[in-house]
Amino acid sequence: MSRVMPYITRNTVFWVVLFALTWLLSRNSFALYKALDARWIIRFPKKYELPLEGWISTFLDWLVNTANFWLFTFRDLTRAIAVVIEVPYQVLRNLLIEGFQTGLGEQAVQLAPSMSWIAVIAVVVAVGHYARNWALAGLVGLCFLYLAVFGQWESAMITLASVLVAVPIGAVGGLALGILAYRMPWFDRALRPVLDLMQTVPVFAYLVPILILFGFGPVSALVATIIYAMPPMVRVTILALRAVPAEIVEAGRMAGCTARQITWKVLVPSATPTLMVGVNQVIMLTLNMVIIASMIGAGGLGFDVLSSLRRLDIGGGIEAGLAIVVMAIALDRASQAFSERKYSEPRSGNVLQRHPWSGTVVLVVLGTFILGRFVPAVQTYPEALTITTSPFWSAAMEWVNVNFFDTFEAIKTVLLKGLLLPVKKFFAGIPWGWGIIAVGLIAWRVNGWRLGVMAALLMAFIAASGLWAKAMVTIYLCGVSVLLATLIGIPLGIWAAERPRAGRVILGLMDTLQTLPSFVYLIPVVMLFRVGDFSAMIAVILYALAPAVRYAAHGLREVPEQLVEAGQMAGCTPGQLLWRVKLPLATPQILLGLNQTIMLALSMLVITALVGTRDLGQEVYIALTKANAGQGIVAGLSVAFIAIIADRIVNALAEGQKRRLGI
Amino acid sequence: MSTSVILDCRNVWKLYGAQAESLLAQNPAPDAEMLKEAGVIGAVRAANVQILKGEIFVIMGLSGSGKSTLVRCLSRLVEPTAGEIEFDGQDLLRATDAELIEIRRKKMGMVFQQFALMPHLTVLENAAFPLEVQGVDRATRETRAREMVELVGLKGREGYHPRELSGGQQQRVGIARSLVVEPDLWFLDEPFSALDPLIRREMQDEFLRLQSMLKKTIVFITHDFDEAIRLADRIAVMKDGVIEQVATPEELVRNPATDYVAEFTRHVARAKVFRARSVMEPLTADSFAGEVAHDATIEDIAAQVEGADAPFRVMRDGAAVGQITARAVIDVLVGRV
Ligand SMILES: Nc1ncnc2c1ncn2[C@@H]1O[C@H](COP(=O)(O)OP(=O)(O)O)[C@@H](O)[C@H]1O
Ligand SMILES: [Mg+2]
């Protein structure tokens, strides 16, 4: 290998030629169309478009209005599901905020008040203490106290009620499906593609059919939430059960367990710590989705944010957003503590001695119940004592905007002109025919002809659905955001890995960023940059940053100590050590992080449709507002297909790199 | 002696691979070549084993030789590809699921290499687990489990969880659990291999102590030949899924059936294996310095016999069956026989 001339491999030639061709075609596609008078070059011919939208809408119509399964109609089924969800939800709402009543409207008679705010806080403190210790109990208690003091109590309780209904259903359902998949290989095989699709189809896309099936309101929101939050639980369950050591299962069989006993007395209890990780995920995804689902009637904190954004009420939006953050932190820390909980010795003695905390909580609940009848402040946190931060936030934003408007504008302009617009132009110009071929070629090059054909077919589906232009906007926005997120995230990850103290801070921050519902990211971005591609990009970067940082840090830390020492003994400087030894070895991990970043970016992009992008997300969002299920699903599938292609390509790259490194 | 065979395993095969079944259907005794060609792993091949009531039967072989698979075939944790297994007069391979559960609940116990304790249960609950799944009431099963925990020397730690115990202690819990149902047949799959050498030795002593009290029928797996000769009444040596030889430790050393067995036994200290009866000579002397048991190892009696002026009488069932001289002992010690 000569050092003077950088070695050119066939691989490099392939990529350079592919890029150059694409670039040339992109630049000249319009001229080409004019010269040849062939409009089909830049636009997929309308008359060949797949009438998929219509089919789906017709199918849903049929399902709702005429479908009949022998004993019951489809409508009966959806009604039954609605009842199963609605009843516990209403009970929880009554318990947490509305109180129990009989009769309607004027004649309503209150039977019992809701739990007092003090009682709710007592319960969460006890849960925190049970899950870990007093420190956690204090944190959770403070979070809920915050909600009371800052006047977010009612909305927060509505959100909490949704979470408390959706989480058990999602967790138990996921567990059940996971156990079935573990025990029946054919079910596992059937389930896997469904899970893949459910996790890549953007949430808005299935809001539409659900809306049609269940109507506007909390039930729809909860159904969507459960569908959204369940797949990770299924996956975690399968993994957790498989990870139970074979010998433990054999020990169960040798003890004479029946199949059922193996599941419930051996597998599930042994896997509980891992299963709790799944429950934690269900809780966080549920919260995320409950917030988003405020668009179809979930109410609560999400609705407050949404309506503030629509009214451009900056203070109110930030206030509600912070309440979401606080709630997310409380739920995350508490549920995480459960997965790390140590088994503890059961106490002995009488009922109160055995359960001192439950006992205390029951006493507090009953006590405040009685006291609350005489002292209203015990029942509901007094309005007069709430602190509203809304004016403060409005003023702060005002101040920021007055003083930094020009700076922000300048940054925005530079990035728009220098990066976003050229990239957008490049992607927008690619003729759809070549686009399909190019994606196929890339996938083929990375992982063989099977993936190549699949990728090309999926892209062809998008083109044939008439969504090519919007898909290109999605790809461009996703690409730019992922690029910037990587450029910011990997150095942060390196920093975190090399400097343990900084690492703790950075990784802690990333953990918190990841627990925040995606909706929250829109708030500051809109306030500072208003609507448009740029705002969307910033929100996506913030949301998708965490995995880039985490995986880079993790990859670097996982580099075997011996190899680092070997490098040091060979006389590497710290810089050489990083570039020559650690980074190459960490590439597979970094690529996995990139994969996650892309997935998160795509899911966030759909939500940024709310701040006015013109991509597939917008298409889905329009479908949602028009309740056009076909349109929503087709656009949603298109996003899912892009996600699947990206996922397979990046994963193949990571695998290839692993093979090359022999790990 | 066939009446005392408790477990009879005849021509048992366990093959892994897509074509395992069809291969055996075509040819009931394929050799290693044929298996390799078909892409099939011969984990256990043509195994014949008779376990006698009350004996310690050790299966010895290097890692991957098929010991675990064989012992799992014997308890039907693994379904053999072919063969017959008779346990206590019952055809084990034709037992229904319900019958199998019943057999395991009442007649079999097993100890595992990695202890395989339930992480969420305490020591006492782990020991009581087999009784719990049978539906024995709490008071009865805890009393019984407490006895077992005490028997294995863990009294006072009933409330601990497995992760709070050392490896040796965890395996004691595993032993307690496997004995709680008073099984007729006790399987131990490399029970001490995961332990440090010193602890291992201690656990072997403990095991022999327990066996002297309980007199179980035992199938004991190990990859450690020293452990095998220390514990075994009989040893089966396995290699690549095939049982090379089944014999007492002494026979293995004296008459290895294959080069492979010979390689194993070459460096074994003879004195640990040879018994008085096998180096004794006919009674000729007039006076004796003392008496030794016919089944005492040379190692145990060496100092005594070698230091005496007269031979020792070798006793069996209260009668003298021969004599043993200092000369014979020295021959064994220096490896002349
Ligand atoms: N489930 C299985 N699938 C395929 N091969 C297996 C399986 N279990 C064991 N084997 C193979 O069978 C052989 C014997 O394994 P094992 O009985 O565990 O050996 P040992 O216990 O003596 O170390 C090994 O080559 C192992 O790879
Ligand atoms: Mg083994």
Side-chain angles (χ1 to χ4, degrees), chain A residues 570-589:
Chain A
C572 287
T573 63
Q576 286 172 324
L577 210 54
L578 182 63
W579 285 103
R580 298 273 172 88
V581 180
K582 292 185 186 170
L583 276 179
L585 283 167
T587 349
Q589 284 289 331

Side-chain angles (χ1 to χ4, degrees), chain B residues 61-76:
Chain B
L62 296 181
S63 165
S65 58
K67 311 178 294 291
S68 295
T69 309
L70 175 57
V71 80
R72 278 165 178 70
C73 287
L74 298 184
S75 59
R76 234 184 112 186

Side-chain angles (χ1 to χ4, degrees), chain A residues 16 47 56 93 113 152 192 242 280 285 370 383 395 412 414 553 582 604 634 637 651:
Chain A
V16 169
K47 62 176 176 211
I56 293 174
R93 260 182 92 122
Q152 305 291 320
R192 249 160 225 286
R242 294 227 168 107
N280 170 264
L285 290 177
I370 295 164
E383 190 96 20
K412 187 171 160 181
V414 166
K582 292 185 186 170
M604 185 68 195
V634 171
L637 279 178
N651 261 334

